[in-house]
Amino acid sequence: MCKYQLFKWFQPGKACIFAAMADQQESLKPIVSHAKEYGYVFPSSEIYDGLGAVYDYGPYGSELKNNIRNYWWKAMVHLHENVVGLDAAIFMHPTTWKASGHVDAFNDPLIDNKDSKKRYRADVLVEDYLAKYEQKIEKEVKKGKKRFGDDFDEEQFRATNPNVKRAQDKIDNVTGRMKEALDNNDLVALQQLIEDEGIADPDTGSKNWTEVRQFNLMFGTQLGSVAGDSSTIYLRPETAQGIFVNFLNVQKSSRQKIPFGIAQTGKAFRNEIVARQFIFRMREFEQMEMQFFVRPGTEMEWYQYWKEKRMNWHQALGTDPARLRFHDHIKLAHYANAAVDIEFEFPFGFKEVEGIHSRTDYDLGRHQEFSGKKLQYYDPELQQNYVPYVVETSIGLDRMFLLILSSAYTEETLEDGSQRTVLKLPPALAPVKVAVLPLLKKDGLPEKAREVLDELRFDFNCQYDEKDAIGKRYRRQDAIGTPYCLTIDHQTLEDGTLTIRERDSMAQERIAIEQVRQIVHDRVDMTKLLRQI
Ligand code: GAP
């Protein structure tokens, strides 16, 4: 199992985080099909029936991704004098991954069903099994609410109802056994748990399992033409190691003094066993990571600082605060002295989007040991050399993309009873900022509209659309999340004004063409978000 994630899911008594895999797929369905229909995300190599957990970003998806990355980069690098950027290679010397611990410990517990030949993550099988008990509890609570109406005391009901108690006991017991097995890296105990509980293949019902084995998540390949262990290199499973090995190069060349940070965005690769959650868990994905190097003993102060900064970054986007929360890691990796996740309530429950980890001097220390090169900083104030401590912020760009889509995707019934699907994207992140629409395809309106468009496209990503009735064109822009539509009509030709329509309220205002640039700029500018962080 991923060394950073080993115990993140585990919350005794809070089994509501166990969401059934089938439900996960079901709850994402409208978003997945909308993303495909409107050019946000496509399955990779779809004409060959796709490739598991690999996706391509379409015309709007690639714009949205760029905007999210840009928002992160500006917030982390441009707004911090003491954070600088890096773009390290994906391939690294193989010893990097020995030193980082990934070769020996970047594993997930894997189990195969002998009848169906399907492969599962053993811990996820157990999670899904527990989700059924959680659903039972929720059903009982619902029944209770219906029966007792306003007098219903949910806390008391959960504590006393025999059916709820039985299900909760089961959840606590199985969760406890699983935690112990994972804690001790005891794969036999995990296997025994699956057997004792009679957990079956969710697809076929077969209980004919292989033993549980560790499965390393790194993709290996050969460097050059000679095959063999010595030439095996890996596609990086995290971008962070590129930062650690460049620590001194960056510090010296940018004349940074501790505390300072190095930020980078880039692809990472993990051979995930479970691959059924759209872009939540991918085999090829992008990370946005920052390692902040500090004087030993000051790391908790910086950990708090970055925890707050990162939550502010999320909240500035206008995401419903009730759908964001911190979740402290219950058990820390051996090299960490604090770790927390920022979780978002996806359609399939609260899940991690970002991690903030206080990683001590573990990584630099290990690279120093394995490379034989000193990775130390001379602190002029203390007049001594030391291996700096590190506070890391690590967010998945694709997961953030899914967060944005999940919170933006809205199906609405309008006053006239008609339906619309709208992506209420933060305007600063929207792929297209403005659509310019001539009311009719004649009378010089298209020419005037193009004139307006040609001026605006220097400042904003714009779209021109003259096909179909105006209402239909508004719906199309709603579906891709364009915050503003400008309509050019006959009055525009007479007095130089046009209509600006706001996506979420659908309110329309008449303004002069000369005002458009400033008005749109004021409303879609990323600076507004950045100032809130
Ligand atoms: N350097 C620390 C690190 O890699 P992690 O918790 O394994 O920590 C950090 O990953 C972030 O990367 C996660 O919070 C998540 O947003 C993203 N991530 C991890 N695995 C992913 C996957 N298979 N698909 C998409 N995003 C992933």
Side-chain angles (χ1 to χ4, degrees):
M1 177 169 235
C2 156
K3 61 187 174 138
Y4 301 113
Q5 293 176 323
L6 195 50
F7 295 101
K8 283 177 182 174
W9 56 269
F10 177 74
Q11 271 185 307
K14 284 203 175 179
C16 55
I17 60 167
F18 299 119
M21 202 61 83
D23 288 350
Q24 292 187 4
Q25 280 172 289
E26 220 31 57
S27 59
L28 276 176
K29 249 184 186 166
I31 294 172
V32 176
S33 60
H34 190 87
K36 180 161 180 242
E37 185 178 351
Y38 288 95
Y40 272 87
V41 183
F42 307 128
S44 158
S45 23
E46 197 188 7
I47 58 167
Y48 295 105
D49 296 332
L51 184 66
V54 185
Y55 290 89
D56 298 337
Y57 287 84
Y60 300 119
S62 47
E63 292 281 348
L64 175 57
K65 222 174 150 193
N66 283 343
N67 292 344
I68 298 172
R69 194 190 295 106
N70 194 19
Y71 175 49
W72 184 86
W73 190 264
K74 283 190 173 188
M76 301 300 281
V77 182
H78 295 182
L79 289 187
H80 288 94
E81 255 177 71
N82 59 350
V83 178
V84 290
L86 179 73
D87 184 5
I90 287 171
F91 289 134
M92 299 181 71
H93 192 283
T95 311
T96 308
W97 307 109
K98 200 78 194 140
S100 67
H102 285 83
V103 171
D104 296 320
F106 198 58
N107 301 319
D108 272 348
L110 165 130
I111 192 165
D112 289 299
N113 188 279
K114 290 184 197 161
D115 296 328
S116 70
K117 312 279 180 241
K118 290 213 158 132
R119 178 163 284 187
Y120 295 92
R121 245 172 74 175
D123 55 325
V124 173
L125 265 186
V126 179
E127 281 180 28
D128 289 352
Y129 168 72
L130 288 174
K132 293 192 186 119
Y133 283 93
E134 183 56 32
Q135 280 161 5
K136 265 189 201 160
I137 293 178
E138 294 313 316
K139 225 165 149 184
E140 288 293 335
V141 171
K142 223 172 171 178
K143 271 201 302 198
K145 266 185 192 151
K146 212 165 155 191
R147 205 161 94 217
F148 298 111
D150 286 347
D151 296 333
F152 184 64
D153 180 341
E154 185 170 332
E155 204 175 317
Q156 198 194 356
F157 184 83
R158 282 180 185 270
T160 54
N161 179 280
N163 292 339
V164 172
K165 276 182 67 186
R166 241 192 324 273
Q168 191 60 55
D169 285 348
K170 170 64 86 181
I171 290 168
D172 292 346
N173 175 278
V174 172
T175 307
R177 282 184 67 186
M178 176 146 83
K179 178 181 176 334
E180 198 180 329
L182 292 174
D183 252 343
N184 299 327
N185 209 4
D186 187 346
L187 301 182
V188 176
L190 196 52
Q191 165 111 33
Q192 194 60 48
L193 177 62
I194 290 170
E195 269 174 32
D196 290 351
E197 293 299 323
I199 297 175
D201 180 333
D203 283 348
T204 63
S206 161
K207 295 178 187 168
N208 194 7
W209 296 111
T210 62
E211 78 282 11
V212 178
R213 313 187 290 291
Q214 289 290 20
F215 175 76
N216 192 287
L217 298 183
M218 282 199 296
F219 285 102
T221 186
Q222 302 299 320
L223 185 69
S225 56
V226 190
D229 268 2
S230 58
S231 61
T232 297
I233 57 166
Y234 298 98
L235 293 176
R236 65 182 177 199
E238 62 171 11
T239 59
Q241 298 304 325
I243 295 179
F244 289 124
V245 301
N246 275 298
F247 158 68
L248 277 185
N249 281 339
V250 175
Q251 187 263 320
K252 288 184 174 151
S253 60
S254 60
R255 298 186 300 118
Q256 288 290 341
K257 287 198 172 68
I258 271 178
F260 81 97
I262 305 176
Q264 85 164 323
T265 70
K267 289 276 179 138
F269 304 83
R270 295 182 189 179
N271 199 358
E272 300 282 359
I273 303 167
V274 177
R276 284 168 291 191
Q277 296 158 300
F278 190 39
I279 54 171
F280 181 81
R281 197 177 302 286
M282 303 162 86
R283 295 199 166 106
E284 175 181 339
F285 58 100
E286 195 165 335
Q287 287 185 316
M288 306 189 287
E289 297 200 294
M290 195 271 309
Q291 316 296 131
F292 200 69
F293 301 91
V294 304
R295 188 184 283 176
T298 63
E299 69 275 12
M300 291 320 293
E301 190 183 303
W302 288 109
Y303 173 73
Q304 289 305 335
Y305 172 87
W306 285 111
K307 217 177 129 175
E308 195 182 316
K309 278 274 164 198
R310 294 305 305 147
M311 186 55 106
N312 291 350
W313 184 87
H314 286 277
Q315 287 178 344
L317 288 168
T319 306
D320 177 358
R323 294 179 75 182
L324 285 168
R325 71 180 185 194
F326 284 118
H327 171 50
D328 282 314
H329 290 205
I330 286 171
K331 182 168 187 309
L332 297 172
H334 59 279
Y335 50 79
N337 57 8
V340 68
D341 290 336
I342 294 178
E343 294 187 338
F344 172 73
E345 189 183 20
F346 287 98
F348 45 87
F350 272 100
K351 297 274 173 189
E352 171 194 348
V353 179
E354 170 156 12
I356 295 123
H357 314 122
S358 173
R359 300 178 61 125
T360 67
D361 58 356
Y362 176 82
D363 300 270
L364 287 181
R366 292 276 291 184
H367 286 304
Q368 185 168 261
E369 185 189 329
F370 277 72
S371 68
K373 311 262 165 44
K374 273 208 159 74
L375 290 176
Q376 300 190 354
Y377 171 78
Y378 178 74
D379 191 322
E381 277 176 39
L382 296 183
Q383 299 191 345
Q384 74 181 59
N385 283 304
Y386 54 76
V387 177
Y389 272 40
V390 170
V391 175
E392 162 184 78
T393 73
S394 175
I395 177 167
L397 176 50
D398 311 84
R399 221 172 261 190
M400 187 60 202
F401 186 109
L402 185 58
L403 180 161
I404 295 288
L405 269 196
S406 309
S407 72
Y409 181 85
T410 315
E411 289 173 13
E412 281 181 349
T413 304
L414 304 179
E415 271 174 17
D416 63 1
S418 65
Q419 298 276 330
R420 75 162 181 160
T421 303
V422 52
L423 285 187
K424 297 187 173 179
L425 297 168
L429 299 188
V432 178
K433 306 289 191 231
V434 187
V436 185
L437 317 172
L439 187 62
L440 299 173
K441 226 183 339 179
K442 57 179 186 182
D443 301 339
L445 300 185
E447 290 75 10
K448 188 71 191 169
R450 287 218 170 265
E451 221 179 84
V452 172
L453 177 81
D454 286 342
E455 262 314 299
L456 291 178
R457 62 166 36 128
F458 290 101
D459 295 287
F460 315 109
N461 190 21
C462 302
Q463 208 168 70
Y464 175 82
D465 191 3
E466 58 177 26
K467 195 170 173 288
D468 298 319
I470 192 75
K472 212 166 172 187
R473 281 181 272 165
Y474 285 152
R475 290 290 169 276
R476 264 204 299 267
Q477 295 302 328
D478 290 343
I480 62 172
T482 307
Y484 295 101
C485 288
L486 305 177
T487 309
I488 312 294
D489 55 18
H490 293 97
Q491 192 180 331
T492 312
L493 304 181
E494 284 162 22
D495 64 6
T497 63
L498 50 70
T499 308
I500 183 166
R501 171 192 182 266
E502 199 272 330
R503 177 195 64 203
D504 299 351
S505 63
M506 295 184 292
Q508 301 196 11
E509 228 183 307
R510 194 117 207 143
I511 57 171
I513 289 176
E514 302 81 68
Q515 291 178 288
V516 172
R517 199 180 146 274
Q518 193 59 47
I519 289 178
V520 175
H521 178 270
D522 289 348
R523 298 181 190 178
V524 305
D525 186 23
M526 199 177 273
T527 313
K528 258 197 314 204
L529 305 189
L530 293 166
R531 283 189 192 282
Q532 292 173 55
I533 302 168

